[in-house]
Each structure stands twice: as C-alpha cells, then as structure tokens.
Amino acid sequence: MRIDYAQIAKTLAALTEGEDDPVALMATMVCELHHADDRFDWTGFYRVTGPEMLKIGPYQGSHGCLQIPFSRGVCGAAARSGEVQLVDDVHAFDGHIACANSTLSEIVLPVHDASGALIAVLDIDSDQPSAFGEADSAGLSRLLRQTFAR
Ligand code: SME
C-alpha cells in the first residue's frame, strides 16, 4: 500500500478545518499518514519545547525516545538545518538515534508555523532500506505547509 499524497491532502483539510491547536493537528496527521503506507513503521512528531530541544509529540509505532537535543540524531539535523533529511541507510548516518532496531531508513522534515518559526519535526522511520525519495519529501512538505502554516 502506497500513500496517495493528493488524496491525503484532501482528507486532512476536511478533518482539520477550523482547528488550530498544533497537537490536535499533529495527532490527526500522524494517524492519517501511519495507516496509509506500508513503508511507515514509525510515524511521529518531535516538538520544539525549549532552546535546542525536541520532545516527543503525537506518534504511532513502538515507543520513541522522549527527548532529542538539536545536536543529536536525524531529527536534530532537521531541526538545526531547517532542511529535509532523507536517510537511505541509518547505519551510515553518524549520530543516528536507534529507538527500534528494525529501522533501516528514514525521512525527517522540519515543521514551520505561519510566521516561519520552527515548531516541530516530522519523523517517519521505515523497516525497508532506502524507503523514501523526493516524491515523499515533496508530498509531505506540502501536507505540513497546508496543515501548520495556514
Ligand atoms: N529517527 C530518530 C530517532 C528515532 S525515534 O526516537 C523514533 C533520529 O535519529 O533522529
């Protein structure tokens, strides 16, 4: 099963119409994403809660670590740089935080609000190697903009 980003965009827009609470939006988006694609083994948000600090937000999958400083992991790299991180092989990524041994590849995207401030990162981990590509980066970036920067 592969995600249809155009379809999910419509579903999410309908489900979240009039909602502006970030955690409510994150929980709804994670649920829609996680069940839409076999590649998604862990799907969740880490929220910016203080200077250079990410804390776990809504997620689906086995339990994730509670805190990730900006200095650590793929999530930290996305938060630091403000750039999408596409990691084909997590074992080749220096500083990757292994929460599940089954994770082989991942994509992490920065999440900005309407003012352009970084509020979170979206982390999707896969138990398949090289699971994600530019189509996922573009599709997910669009969903994040539509949901959090409106
Ligand atoms: N993918 C992360 C950590 C895994 S989670 O806590 C689910 C990273 O290295 O940033």
Side-chain angles (χ1 to χ4, degrees):
M1 179 183 38
R2 276 292 169 112
I3 191 166
D4 176 344
Y5 286 111
Q7 183 56 49
I8 292 272
K10 284 188 204 147
T11 306
L12 263 179
L15 286 172
T16 62
E17 198 188 337
E19 182 57 67
D20 64 359
D21 178 80
V23 173
L25 294 170
M26 288 175 192
T28 305
M29 186 165 176
V30 154
C31 179
E32 286 303 310
L33 290 176
H34 190 70
H35 299 285
D37 198 306
D38 295 330
R39 296 171 299 163
F40 298 3
D41 190 47
W42 192 96
T43 310
F45 286 91
Y46 280 91
R47 298 165 302 121
V48 178
T49 56
E52 309 274 300
M53 180 56 77
L54 297 164
K55 287 200 186 181
I56 192 75
Y59 68 97
Q60 301 212 0
S62 58
H63 81 85
C65 25
L66 273 65
Q67 304 187 3
I68 301 182
F70 278 28
S71 57
R72 295 201 55 216
V74 185
C75 292
R80 263 194 327 271
S81 65
E83 308 266 328
V84 178
Q85 305 292 306
L86 263 172
V87 180
D88 286 339
D89 174 5
V90 296
H91 301 299
F93 187 96
D94 195 24
H96 172 253
I97 303 164
C99 278
N101 285 333
S102 54
T103 299
L104 295 181
S105 62
E106 64 179 86
I107 183 170
V108 183
L109 302 99
V111 183
H112 297 99
D113 68 12
S115 75
L118 180 76
I119 57 166
V121 300
L122 171 63
D123 178 6
I124 306 180
D125 300 341
S126 184
D127 50 9
Q128 302 173 23
S130 306
F132 306 109
E134 289 306 324
D136 299 296
S137 176
L140 292 165
S141 297
R142 181 168 165 251
L143 286 179
L144 290 170
R145 267 198 311 279
Q146 140 186 334
T147 307
F148 296 98
R150 61 190 181 194

